Amino acid sequence: MKPTSTQAEARARGRAVRTALAAFAAVSLAAAACNTLDDALNVDAPGRLPGDSLDDPTYAPLLVSGAVADFDCALGSFVVMGGLVTDELIDATQTADRWPYDRRNVQSSDGRYGTSTCENLGVYTPIATARWSADNALAKLQGWTDAQMPAGTSRAELIAVAAAYSAYSRVLLGEMFCTAAIDTGPELTSRQILEQAEERFGQAIDAATVAGDQSLLNMSLVGRARVRLDLSQYDASKKALALADAQRVPAGFVRSTTASSASSRRENRVFSQNNTSQNVTVDPAFRGLAFGGVADPRVRVADTGKKATDGQQIWIQNKYAGLTSGIPIATGREAQLIAAEVQGGQAAVDIINALHTAAGLPAFSSADPAAIQAQVAEERRRELFLQGNRLYDVNRLHVNLTPVAGTAYPKGGTYGTTVCLPVPDIERLNNPNFPRT
């Protein structure tokens, strides 16, 4: 493998090697041909394997499983950090380098978000690592042939997985960061990164169709609908395309990460940060939510009666039951809400009420277009609670967060206006094609 200068790529390469070695040691090649993706995700052992060995098509399923594992960990950190920046979570620690996210005044010199691992709530490097892992696997798969695959392995399916996770990694990058870079390329805007995600989802959809994998197809359709809705703020024609994708996805579809309590890397990060360590508490904006006097079961939170180390009352989420709970990546409910936002009117009301029926909530009724759109936004806030959608919704829908900018932050300083994170200094220092400031 050609060496590169970025820390994310170096970590991705090391992770790919360790994942391949661990999975290879844990399962026979015969088993790998059938269940490698599942088995490899449940193994995380140290070891050494020559990097050139990963150019062997035999390791194709292991490369893809490593990319999936990298994304799963990155997504967990993305959800928690996005929750802190917005109004889903509040930091409850006395650890000063965590406060800028909660305080919404992140600086490019802040270390945690730029260089830390996903276990330690880093976001830039983990997302870049997941993106590189998926891109690396995809490039190799596109250069190999069906005949080179291990027995019983579908190259089209592996391409669909790699392309889908490559696309979703770009979604996370484009939604969280104001600008970023791919490999050692030039500085890209959020829009440019999201446009790359849209193209990758197209590849995933094509490959999933060839492979006949309906779950991967639905996952990629939801992802492309999401990114097209994101892009519609720049190009209104994307709304109709988002609607077309969303309407192809069954309402009951769910595709989630996998999680395990066997290693901290594979834990549900929301549960570990909120319920276990109590480093974060649920924001008051998501406590005691109801509709028509009925408690909303989609936002299940509870007061523990305990105080955090900084003196705050700890409220916990009960959406995720434990460290082994998966976090939804794509769901039919999200697709329905995308359709509702694009269509508006009675079609949106009908979608809202279908979601209310499923949750046991009273019906919503309105003929006012503005009120309907406001309710769609509220439904997204509740239905997609702690799934990683809130950050970009705050950005594109121009949500006014509280406390407002300029308000004193309880632990020092004042609240800022951050709704997208600056690219960290580590990128500017390590990437010769990225401008220094």
Side-chain angles (χ1 to χ4, degrees), residues 307-389:
K307 298 285 187 180
T309 57
D310 68 351
Q312 289 192 76
Q313 194 77 6
I314 289 294
W315 284 69
I316 56 170
Q317 63 77 41
N318 289 311
K319 177 171 185 167
Y320 303 116
L323 295 172
T324 60
S325 299
I327 296 174
I329 302 170
T331 68
R333 297 185 300 279
E334 181 185 353
Q336 290 290 297
L337 287 166
I338 292 170
E341 183 171 338
V342 174
Q343 290 177 297
Q346 188 58 45
V349 171
D350 291 343
I351 290 171
I352 290 169
N353 285 332
L355 294 172
H356 278 207
T357 297
L361 295 172
F364 167 75
S365 179
S366 178
D368 177 9
I372 292 170
Q373 284 298 327
Q375 190 60 39
V376 171
E378 180 65 13
E379 295 297 320
R380 286 184 61 87
R381 187 172 83 95
R382 299 183 185 203
E383 192 73 56
L384 306 177
F385 176 53
L386 292 176
Q387 289 182 202
N389 300 78

Side-chain angles (χ1 to χ4, degrees), residues 11 73-84 89-93 95 97-99 101 110-127 176-177 264 267-274 277 279-280 421:
R11 288 187 178 182
C73 195
L75 178 61
S77 186
F78 176 90
V79 171
V80 174
M81 292 293 274
L84 287 171
L89 299 170
I90 299 175
D91 185 79
T93 73
T95 306
D97 75 341
R98 295 170 59 109
W99 301 345
Y101 319 109
D110 291 335
R112 183 179 291 268
Y113 87 105
T115 61
S116 291
T117 64
C118 45
E119 298 98 307
N120 294 313
L121 296 188
V123 280
Y124 192 85
T125 294
I127 294 170
M176 179 163 275
F177 290 89
S264 61
E267 293 174 351
N268 179 301
R269 198 69 55 219
V270 176
F271 192 91
S272 66
Q273 284 288 313
N274 178 222
S277 67
N279 286 331
V280 299
L421 304 186

